[in-house]
Amino acid sequence: MNIKEELMITANDLENITILYAEDDFQIQEGTVQTLNLFGIKVISANNGLEGLELFNNSKQNIDMILTVIKMPKLDGLSMIREIRKTDKFIPVVITTAHQETDFLKTSIDLNVSAYVLKPIDIYQLRDSLIKAIEPKILKDRLIEKHQLMLTQSRFATMGEMINMIAHQWRQPLAAIGTASFNLKYKLQTHKFDLNTKEGQKEQASFFEKKLDEIEYYVQNLTATVDDFRNFFKSDKKIVKKTINEPIENSLKIMQKSLDSNNITVITQLQSTNIINIYENEIMHVILNILNNAQDNFLENSKESMMININTKDLQDTTQIDIFDNGGGINDTIIDKIFKPYFSTKKEKNGTGIGLYMSKTIIEQNHQGKLNVYNEKDGVTFTITLPTI
Ligand SMILES: Nc1ncnc2c1ncn2[C@@H]1O[C@H](COP(=O)(O)OP(=O)(O)OP(=O)(O)O)[C@@H](O)[C@H]1O
Ligand SMILES: [Mg+2]
């Protein structure tokens, strides 16, 4: 779906929605239900306001919209809506009315009525009013759906990158364990120790102990990396109070080896001492996105001394994080677009283009902060500011 289609609500969107329809005139009711069915709409009919209210309370979850006349026995249409509004402020309401009933207009505005249709009901006017009424709800649902999809995509993209980082982190300890065990086996097979002498037995024991200690050390190292990654993927959405330095250090723990192996130097000056409210994993997600982008850029445009600077500091009411890389910066023609969803210049790597979009959402919506970018001599700085408690 392109953006134009996404914002367009058509008669197709009426298909399969359910309307609660209150009308006391049996003949009109029958005719209108037929029309509504023609549009693919499911109808729950009520013969007066009281019945309408009961039906609504019994199956709220399934009802998408309300269509009602005003004058009805037992409970009139507007009173029915007033009752419904006590538990549901947003369900779209459309009123069908005769010309002479105009005194209801003010009340209907107060009750947040979306549209009205003149009687006798014209099928096209009815359709257009229903579309108009359902529009905000459908757009909101689409937005939520789209956001969920992007969140999943972004998580998968990050996971792919993580697997790369794990590979880097594990290469060295695994190699070391391999060497140690090879050494042990070799010494045994070639009878390197003279076990007939006390001296030889001692030598063997101490050699074995040393190598086994090494293996144990590296195994602990591997376990620790698994824990780092597992912590990152825990999706517990819990606010914690800590300095911003911690998630930065944890992100670096995860990425350091990958950066090292690409000859990228990271220099940190973590001077902030403010305690702030953060969703730790989300902040790590942002830091990793920015570091990954810098690394991707260096891989494409390799240069002599590749460097990333990470600084944190306390300002008046905010905590600021600056992440600079000297990879040449971002072209002025695209710098305004990099936070847009699906904008990516990485064709070969198949960039999703949601890394920075998601990062901005995390900082600005979930943390009430700001994420900005500006080019500098030689490179680019991403600046995050977060409110201090
Ligand atoms: N440090 C940087 N240096 C140069 N260009 C950058 C830098 N950071 C971001 N960009 C530009 O911003 C674009 C959007 O970045 P974003 O993280 O949103 O998506 P992506 O990195 O292309 O895709 P993905 O995150 O899925 O790998 C990148 O394609 C790149 O052109
Ligand atoms: Mg990215």
Side-chain angles (χ1 to χ4, degrees), residues 254-354:
I254 291 178
M255 245 193 106
Q256 192 71 56
K257 283 275 156 40
S258 161
L259 293 164
D260 287 350
S261 72
N262 289 315
N263 289 321
I264 301 167
T265 311
V266 180
I267 299 171
T268 58
Q269 262 189 301
L270 306 181
Q271 290 171 331
S272 167
T273 55
N274 279 341
I275 303 292
I276 54 178
N277 280 324
I278 52 170
Y279 295 106
E280 193 170 11
N281 288 349
E282 291 194 354
I283 296 291
M284 283 178 68
H285 197 149
V286 173
I287 307 290
L288 288 167
N289 274 339
I290 295 174
L291 294 178
N292 262 312
N293 282 344
Q295 178 173 265
D296 285 346
N297 181 56
F298 280 133
L299 291 178
E300 253 180 57
N301 317 294
S302 186
K303 59 180 276 185
E304 196 68 13
S305 82
M306 298 181 276
M307 201 171 61
I308 297 176
N309 291 327
I310 308 178
N311 297 336
T312 67
K313 61 180 178 223
D314 297 335
L315 301 180
Q316 184 110 43
D317 304 306
T318 55
T319 302
Q320 184 168 324
I321 307 140
D322 292 309
I323 305 178
F324 165 80
D325 73 74
N326 67 346
I330 301 174
N331 201 311
D332 285 335
T333 54
I334 64 162
I335 199 162
D336 292 338
K337 300 185 190 137
I338 59 169
F339 294 109
K340 296 219 164 95
Y342 303 118
F343 177 82
S344 175
T345 54
K346 296 168 195 166
K347 292 207 183 68
E348 276 166 41
K349 204 198 131 198
N350 245 329
T352 62
I354 44 184

Side-chain angles (χ1 to χ4, degrees), residues 172-178 180 211-225:
Q172 199 245 339
L174 282 177
I177 291 171
K211 287 294 158 195
L212 288 171
D213 278 348
E214 273 174 29
I215 291 176
E216 202 177 303
Y217 167 80
Y218 285 117
V219 168
Q220 268 166 11
N221 195 311
L222 292 177
T223 312
T225 39

